[in-house]
Amino acid sequence: MKEFSDVFEQQYSVALFNSVRFEIEGGGGTQSQLLHRKDPLAGRSIFSGSLFQYLEENRKWRSRFVSVPNSYTISLYESKTAHDRGLHPKVTINCAGYKALTSMEEYTELINTSLPGIKAKASSTPFIKCASQFPLILWHPYARHHYFCVMTEKEQNKWHAVLQDCVRHRNNGLPEDCTVQTPAFTDAVRLYRQTKGHYGTWDMMCGAPPQILANLVMETLQPELRSVIGPRLKGKLQQRQRDWMLISDAVYRQVLSQTTGQYDALVEGCEAQRAPLDARLRTDMDQIITSKEHVSSKIRALVLPKAEQLLQTSVQPYISSILEALMEPTSRGFSEVRDIFFKEMVDISKNSLNGAGKDKLGDHMERLSMLAFHPVKMQSCYEKVEQLNLEGLQQRFDVASPSVFISRAQILMREQMDNAVYTFMQLLQQSLETQGEDDMCKTMQRCQDRVLKKYDYDSSTVRKKFFRESLLQIIIPYMLQQLSPSCSPELPRFEELIFEDFSRFLLVENMFEEVVLQSVSKDIMMAVKDAALQRRHNLYRDSMILTNSDPNLHLLGENPQVDWATRFGGDEPEGSVGGGRVEGGGSGSRRRQVVSMIQLDGVPLPFESCLEVPGVELIPEEDAEMLEGNEEDRGPPGEPKSPDSVIRHVFKGFIQSVLSLIMQTPKPTLPSAPRLFFFGDRFLSIQLSDSQCKMYSYFVYDTALNTSAPLCYVNRLMVHHKDRGF
């Protein structure tokens, strides 16, 4: 951390100089055609539901209620009642750096490589036995692993999409609006790793800065720990793997607490110096720029001949193949985004033509507003880009895996979907105010056509920028690694050309990298431009649409978001209170949900713990898919399928037993002792009620609970459960 702090302080001054220079000189990229909303998830929770969790303390599986707020942090509660009462969760999981797995084989392969010098058999079993055939595992190279399972394949697919969305969101932890702190941090991490000989992309650049720093420390610390502690672990292979993971998690948590405190202090110290540095920059900006250009020209004379030779022999022949490998899956993913948006618009238009009321239109618009954040609906888009494969190029250019580029492309796809949805809603609102609501279908069609044209242009712009940045991320580290041995020893002599007053803002290492970047940028720009000229993958030329083709549109972005359910008099979603727009949002707060996994009373119950419920889930699945899923997932009549269905199964059998008893003996006599019934893993005690409570015939007690409070009351007509009501 001491070494990193020195690098960060240097890069902070450089990043401040670049930020102030950009502010003074202006410039920037092409203006977006679509509108962008700043906080699309305000007042929303993402999803909630029940699944089974493996508890390492007692090595048992237990049902847990899962809640995910708009921060995408997973919270596990004992029950839904505990969540509704605002109690603290049993476990809170920050998914940054995790991988969501769906097979024990894949997990076993990962943990078998965790300890050195141990060659596990391919058929070796892990140290946990899954309670079903459909596991869900969150794996982390340093932190504790989390094990879940569900009872059907359809549930597994949905929960896997949900967990992947949590990982995707939490991995994207560096705020792009911090124009000084974020560039300083990313450059400091990159330069620090280069001093250790790591030039390529890094998979663990995940989460907030303290988490990234903890990963940076563990990258060096974990191999040392394994070599010291690994040989001393005793027992069978599974036990040693378990012990090692507990040790690694304990060390990681301790490292994370240290990096959090030290990074906060580091940033606070740099921010305290920002005001005087900013004032000096604005005063001497012209002289600093002149000095930088002079020194850069000297470095360019040294570096450029070597860089051009390296380009011709080892880089240029591969640019087109790298670009094609990036373009195909990414463009298919963005095309899938367009198709899903179009399909949702067609469904809304059909409902409007079929005479659906305005209240239904309001509900459809509310569902559409959260389309980009529905993990199941967006899963097909994400899967397209997951096919990105750089095999054959990874070893040459030291690319650890394509996951860095896949994650970035998926975040951009989600942003473009939300921009398209938000733009459509604002255009529709404007059209309804000026033209009225008489011909709603035609109005929506016109707005849809405008949005799709703008999406096509913005999609092209975003993808071209993504391709350029990805090519630079692949090529620049390779060139620096090849050029540094011959160029780095010559760089210190250029420091003499920099005035001492400007030395904080002008570093020769940064100028060296800028020269290397400039040497390859022209080839990368030409490759992407040629692809656009040939209209490959629906890329547009930069001059095809004027940057201000719809200048009045961006004025709509200043208008507040429309509450469509209120506007059209639609029913408030049953999972929300007061319109779902709440301030704060503790664990007990009721928020409108993007995807609901909670089953309501009175709704038919297929055997799925993560069933989307009409009226709660804002974007329901296809009806045909639901029908197929219900037929496939029901299974044998007596087989419980999920945490909720287990409870339903137990009480269904219990009610039938009690009703049978009552029907057979119209005038029951007081039993000499409480009757015990065994359901699942619990004994339930049934006693005749006392004479003071004539309403109920029997009291039911859970013998596992040391309490005198009944679990539920039973009479001839109904059951009253203490938490679930009648």
Side-chain angles (χ1 to χ4, degrees):
M1 283 299 298
K2 178 63 173 64
E3 295 177 18
F4 174 82
S5 298
D6 295 340
V7 179
F8 180 83
E9 290 175 354
Q10 294 175 348
Q11 294 305 312
Y12 187 89
S13 300
V14 176
L16 181 61
F17 162 70
N18 292 330
S19 176
V20 174
R21 181 178 181 180
F22 180 84
E23 178 187 339
I24 294 174
E25 296 181 348
T30 305
Q31 182 180 355
S32 172
Q33 296 292 307
L34 296 171
L35 299 177
H36 175 75
R37 50 179 169 177
K38 296 181 180 179
D39 192 3
L41 292 174
R44 306 271 185 175
S45 63
I46 305 303
F47 51 84
S48 55
S50 298
L51 43 65
F52 291 106
Q53 182 194 18
Y54 179 77
L55 304 180
E56 294 189 25
E57 294 77 12
N58 54 19
R59 302 187 182 184
K60 292 184 178 181
W61 292 88
R62 288 289 181 264
S63 174
R64 289 289 182 260
F65 181 80
V66 182
S67 175
V68 180
N70 54 13
S71 63
Y72 284 87
T73 299
I74 298 176
S75 299
L76 302 172
Y77 295 86
E78 188 78 31
S79 64
K80 181 179 181 297
T81 303
H83 167 266
D84 293 342
R85 290 175 178 174
L87 302 180
H88 289 291
K90 290 284 186 181
V91 179
T92 300
I93 306 174
N94 185 328
C95 292
Y98 278 88
K99 289 183 179 179
L101 311 176
T102 56
S103 71
M104 295 303 296
E105 292 75 15
E106 188 178 4
Y107 177 69
T108 302
E109 184 179 349
L110 288 171
I111 63 173
N112 283 343
T113 60
S114 60
L115 285 173
I118 296 178
K119 295 182 179 180
K121 297 180 180 179
S123 59
S124 61
T125 58
F127 52 79
I128 63 170
K129 184 177 181 180
C130 190
S132 75
Q133 301 177 13
F134 308 102
L136 292 157
I137 303 171
L138 287 174
W139 176 87
H140 194 283
Y142 312 126
R144 169 171 291 194
H145 305 165
H146 300 276
Y147 314 96
F148 310 99
C149 74
V150 290
M151 295 299 172
T152 67
E153 184 178 2
K154 188 176 180 182
E155 283 183 291
Q156 184 189 45
N157 293 335
K158 293 179 181 178
W159 276 106
H160 187 228
V162 164
L163 295 178
Q164 283 183 310
D165 221 30
C166 292
V167 172
R168 188 179 300 114
H169 184 89
R170 298 300 303 188
N171 280 350
N172 190 37
L174 296 175
E176 296 182 3
D177 54 349
C178 294
T179 58
V180 177
Q181 187 173 325
T182 296
F185 179 80
T186 54
D187 287 344
V189 170
R190 180 176 50 79
L191 290 171
Y192 174 83
R193 295 190 76 246
Q194 287 179 7
T195 61
K196 306 299 181 181
H198 305 297
Y199 282 84
T201 57
W202 187 37
D203 290 347
M204 294 307 295
M205 191 80 170
C206 304
Q211 293 172 296
I212 296 173
L213 290 176
N215 297 336
L216 194 65
V217 174
M218 293 297 292
E219 185 180 29
T220 304
L221 180 60
Q222 191 187 54
E224 298 176 2
L225 287 175
R226 282 192 302 192
S227 63
V228 174
I229 298 177
R232 302 183 182 183
L233 296 177
K234 305 299 181 183
K236 295 182 179 180
L237 173 63
Q238 290 83 356
Q239 184 60 42
R240 282 181 286 167
Q241 290 173 339
R242 182 197 297 272
D243 293 342
W244 169 247
M245 280 189 294
L246 294 176
I247 293 171
S248 178
D249 175 65
V251 173
Y252 181 74
R253 284 187 282 110
Q254 185 174 1
V255 169
L256 181 59
S257 66
Q258 294 288 326
T259 57
T260 301
Q262 294 187 38
Y263 180 73
D264 291 343
L266 178 62
V267 171
E268 184 179 355
C270 290
E271 289 292 328
Q273 303 178 27
R274 178 167 180 169
L277 290 176
D278 187 279
R280 189 193 307 177
L281 281 169
R282 295 181 186 277
T283 302
D284 301 332
M285 181 58 71
D286 291 340
Q287 293 90 329
I288 297 175
I289 293 175
T290 302
S291 178
K292 180 179 179 179
E293 292 176 350
H294 174 68
V295 178
S296 295
S297 64
K298 301 293 185 181
I299 296 176
R300 191 177 298 109
L302 169 69
V303 175
L304 201 55
K306 301 177 182 179
E308 289 179 347
Q309 182 180 1
L310 180 64
L311 270 173
Q312 293 176 1
T313 58
S314 303
V315 175
Q316 286 177 350
Y318 300 96
I319 290 180
S320 60
S321 57
I322 299 174
L323 180 59
E324 186 61 33
L326 292 168
M327 283 197 300
E328 174 129 7
T330 304
S331 298
R332 278 194 274 112
F334 275 85
S335 178
E336 184 73 8
V337 170
R338 189 188 196 277
D339 292 343
I340 290 177
F341 174 76
F342 179 76
K343 181 177 179 296
E344 293 294 327
M345 298 306 307
V346 169
D347 291 342
I348 294 176
S349 299
K350 284 182 180 179
N351 290 324
S352 179
L353 286 173
N354 291 334
K358 292 182 179 179
D359 55 342
K360 294 296 182 182
L361 177 60
D363 293 340
H364 284 302
M365 293 299 294
E366 282 295 319
R367 294 166 187 158
L368 179 66
S369 68
M370 289 291 104
L371 177 60
F373 302 95
H374 192 296
V376 179
K377 285 286 187 179
M378 293 292 292
Q379 184 64 16
S380 61
C381 308
Y382 299 147
E383 288 175 351
K384 299 290 185 184
V385 76
E386 285 174 359
Q387 299 172 12
L388 193 154
N389 184 9
L390 298 176
E391 189 175 355
L393 300 170
Q394 291 180 209
Q395 186 174 3
R396 168 175 287 276
F397 293 101
D398 195 17
V399 179
S401 77
S403 61
V404 174
F405 310 107
I406 292 173
S407 299
R408 181 58 183 164
Q410 291 172 339
I411 291 294
L412 294 174
M413 288 157 55
R414 187 174 69 180
E415 290 177 356
Q416 288 301 297
M417 174 67 89
D418 189 58
N419 291 348
V421 167
Y422 180 57
T423 305
F424 171 79
M425 293 191 297
Q426 295 299 98
L427 287 174
L428 181 60
Q429 167 71 0
Q430 182 191 50
S431 299
L432 294 178
E433 289 177 351
T434 57
Q435 303 173 16
E437 303 176 4
D438 296 333
D439 198 347
M440 181 72 71
C441 191
K442 286 187 177 179
T443 301
M444 294 174 61
Q445 183 66 40
R446 286 194 294 268
C447 295
Q448 169 193 312
D449 293 341
R450 289 180 65 186
V451 170
L452 289 176
K453 290 180 180 179
K454 295 178 182 299
Y455 174 83
D456 289 340
Y457 178 74
D458 274 10
S459 168
S460 172
T461 303
V462 169
R463 280 181 290 144
K464 286 189 294 184
K465 182 181 179 183
F466 169 73
F467 297 149
R468 290 192 291 264
E469 292 177 348
S470 300
L471 284 169
L472 288 174
Q473 280 185 278
I474 294 171
I475 294 173
I476 292 298
Y478 170 76
M479 294 189 65
L480 291 175
Q481 187 175 21
Q482 299 299 316
L483 294 173
S484 291
S486 59
C487 296
S488 294
E490 301 290 333
L491 295 180
R493 63 186 177 91
F494 295 106
E495 295 177 356
E496 302 173 358
L497 304 176
I498 302 173
F499 292 112
E500 185 177 356
D501 293 342
F502 304 156
S503 59
R504 296 193 62 173
F505 312 114
L506 304 179
L507 301 178
V508 292
E509 294 85 357
N510 292 76
M511 288 186 275
F512 164 64
E513 293 190 356
E514 288 180 10
V515 170
V516 176
L517 185 147
Q518 292 167 3
S519 67
V520 73
S521 292
K522 182 179 178 181
D523 294 287
I524 291 175
M525 295 286 288
M526 287 301 299
V528 177
K529 184 178 179 180
D530 290 343
L533 290 174
Q534 299 171 19
R535 293 301 303 272
R536 291 163 62 191
H537 303 290
N538 202 29
L539 293 176
Y540 289 171
R541 301 190 306 273
D542 293 338
S543 60
M544 196 159 186
I545 298 179
L546 298 177
T547 57
N548 59 347
S549 59
D550 200 350
N552 295 326
L553 176 64
H554 287 270
L555 298 178
L556 296 177
E558 302 174 3
N559 297 338
Q561 297 187 40
V562 182
D563 190 338
W564 294 98
T566 303
R567 175 183 174 86
F568 291 116
D571 296 333
E572 197 64 36
E574 296 178 43
S576 63
V577 175
R581 308 286 183 183
V582 296
E583 298 297 330
S587 59
S589 303
R590 295 281 187 123
R591 293 185 169 202
R592 193 177 299 175
Q593 293 190 135
V594 177
V595 182
S596 178
M597 308 298 187
I598 304 175
Q599 179 63 49
L600 295 181
D601 295 334
V603 178
L605 294 171
F607 294 126
E608 291 188 315
S609 65
C610 57
L611 173 71
E612 288 77 14
V613 182
V616 179
E617 191 251 349
L618 294 181
I619 307 175
E621 300 300 311
E622 295 295 330
D623 295 338
E625 181 185 352
M626 291 294 293
L627 292 174
E628 294 174 4
N630 292 344
E631 293 298 327
E632 295 172 359
D633 298 340
R634 285 187 182 275
E639 181 183 357
K641 293 294 184 178
S642 68
D644 287 339
S645 63
V646 168
I647 296 173
R648 292 195 300 273
H649 179 76
V650 168
F651 278 94
K652 180 180 178 182
F654 167 67
I655 293 168
Q656 291 174 346
S657 300
V658 173
L659 291 180
S660 175
L661 174 67
I662 294 172
M663 296 301 292
Q664 293 174 6
T665 57
K667 296 181 180 180
T669 58
L670 182 67
S672 58
R675 292 195 177 186
L676 292 178
F677 292 83
F678 180 73
F679 295 103
D681 61 348
R682 296 296 180 102
F683 279 103
L684 300 181
S685 171
I686 304 179
Q687 288 183 287
L688 189 68
S689 63
D690 57 20
S691 59
Q692 297 178 357
C693 184
K694 299 295 184 181
M695 180 177 177
Y696 300 103
S697 301
Y698 291 86
F699 288 174
V700 183
Y701 300 85
D702 189 339
T703 59
L705 303 177
N706 295 324
T707 175
S708 60
L711 181 67
C712 63
Y713 314 101
V714 184
N715 67 5
R716 295 171 185 263
L717 301 178
M718 64 185 71
V719 175
H720 183 270
H721 188 270
K722 64 175 183 176
D723 293 330
R724 294 174 175 265
F726 288 102

